[in-house]
Amino acid sequence: MAIYDLRPWLSTPGTITSCPPGLEYLHQINQLIVCQHFDPLGALRKFETSKTYEILNNQGQRIYFAEERNNCFLRRLCGFSRPFTMTIYDNVGRDVLALHKALKCSCCWSRCCLQKLKVEAPPGETIGYVYQYFHPFLPKFKIKNENKEEVMKIKGPWLVFSCLRDLNFNLLTLDEEMVIGKISKHFSGSVRGILTNGEKLEIQFPFDLDVKIKALMLGATFLIDYMYFELWP
């Protein structure tokens, strides 16, 4: 049995008015940890059928389980530019979130090459989008609501591909004057750390942040991971 199967699930919370079903888990937390389940044999064989993740709170309890199902040919041909749908489940197997990314070229900085992610909660009901937007030096994104109105921005570091230090993507107000939260990629310190534990990203946000924006930050985390930190498509 894999180690990640032994983690305890967070107990199912009660229903909250006006909260999309399944997002109640996000109501009373201010931190998430996204851990990719890494299969060394699958990476060597180059034909793994899906990528899987677990989403934990800061106590190590599993809140969600995420799975990308995709055509292995597209993964190999297109890399992080590939289209994908990520489905996120809760502890009773209910589909809570769906993340949809279209096929986008990554070979230039034109508008057609900038990445975009649609977030649904529950699947079929759009709650917002994550848009990459152009900057000559920095990775930058806009978080938009279901009406495509901007609500937050995300700004990453200059040397985003550095593997020797922790990297932070800050969640900012629209005027970029205040940092509200962040998405962090922590340097594991060794190849063995990557091979045994897989990739980990940490998300921090205020307790009272709207649960939909928390869910959009989770979606942004997967997009950022695929764009900058994916080792094995």
Side-chain angles (χ1 to χ4, degrees):
M1 179 181 292
I3 293 175
Y4 72 95
D5 287 333
L6 303 178
R7 295 188 190 273
W9 282 93
L10 183 66
S11 58
T12 306
T15 302
I16 299 174
T17 305
S18 74
C19 178
L23 297 192
E24 298 92 348
Y25 295 90
L26 303 179
H27 186 66
Q28 290 296 325
I29 62 172
N30 67 342
Q31 184 178 1
L32 291 171
I33 300 170
V34 178
C35 303
Q36 181 183 350
H37 173 229
F38 174 64
D39 177 8
L41 294 179
L44 292 174
R45 291 191 303 263
K46 304 283 187 182
F47 60 81
E48 57 182 335
T49 56
S50 64
K51 298 185 71 171
T52 58
Y53 302 78
E54 53 184 351
I55 296 109
L56 315 174
N57 63 12
N58 58 4
Q59 303 299 313
Q61 296 172 304
R62 189 192 293 173
I63 301 175
Y64 299 123
F65 181 82
E67 183 174 30
E68 176 203 356
R69 290 198 175 275
N70 205 331
N71 182 296
C72 64
F73 175 75
L74 282 177
R75 283 204 302 274
R76 295 299 150 197
L77 179 66
C78 303
F80 80 79
S81 300
R82 68 188 181 275
F84 70 79
T85 294
M86 180 83 66
T87 304
I88 299 177
Y89 311 91
D90 65 6
N91 64 349
V92 295
R94 174 177 53 174
D95 294 10
V96 173
L97 284 158
L99 315 177
H100 302 283
K101 178 186 171 300
L103 175 65
K104 289 278 188 176
C105 173
S106 59
C107 61
C108 66
W109 285 103
S110 69
R111 182 178 296 272
C112 67
C113 295
L114 298 176
Q115 306 297 315
K116 181 180 78 171
L117 187 80
K118 180 170 72 170
V119 181
E120 299 174 346
E125 297 187 22
T126 302
I127 62 168
Y129 304 84
V130 181
Y131 281 81
Q132 180 190 15
Y133 67 100
F134 173 77
H135 190 278
F137 306 113
L138 301 175
K140 303 187 81 172
F141 301 85
K142 295 177 181 178
I143 292 180
K144 300 185 179 185
N145 63 18
E146 63 271 28
N147 299 316
K148 296 189 177 182
E149 299 166 335
E150 296 179 17
V151 291
M152 299 281 177
K153 291 183 178 181
I154 295 174
K155 181 170 72 173
W158 178 47
L159 293 175
V160 72
F161 295 104
S162 171
C163 62
L164 300 178
R165 63 190 178 94
D166 293 348
L167 300 172
N168 294 319
F169 291 73
N170 290 326
L171 178 69
L172 306 169
T173 53
L174 288 178
D175 59 10
E176 301 190 21
E177 293 296 322
M178 183 180 299
V179 177
I180 300 173
K182 62 182 179 179
I183 299 167
S184 303
K185 174 69 172 70
H186 297 296
F187 173 53
S188 65
S190 68
V191 174
R192 181 178 181 275
I194 296 175
L195 295 180
T196 55
N197 299 319
E199 292 288 291
K200 292 184 180 180
L201 290 99
E202 180 182 317
I203 312 168
Q204 296 181 23
F205 39 63
F207 277 106
D208 59 355
L209 190 67
D210 187 289
V211 293
K212 291 183 179 180
I213 298 180
K214 292 180 181 181
L216 290 169
M217 280 194 71
L218 179 58
T221 301
F222 282 108
L223 182 60
I224 288 169
D225 184 43
Y226 276 52
M227 290 179 63
Y228 302 112
F229 305 123
E230 184 175 65
L231 297 178
W232 295 275

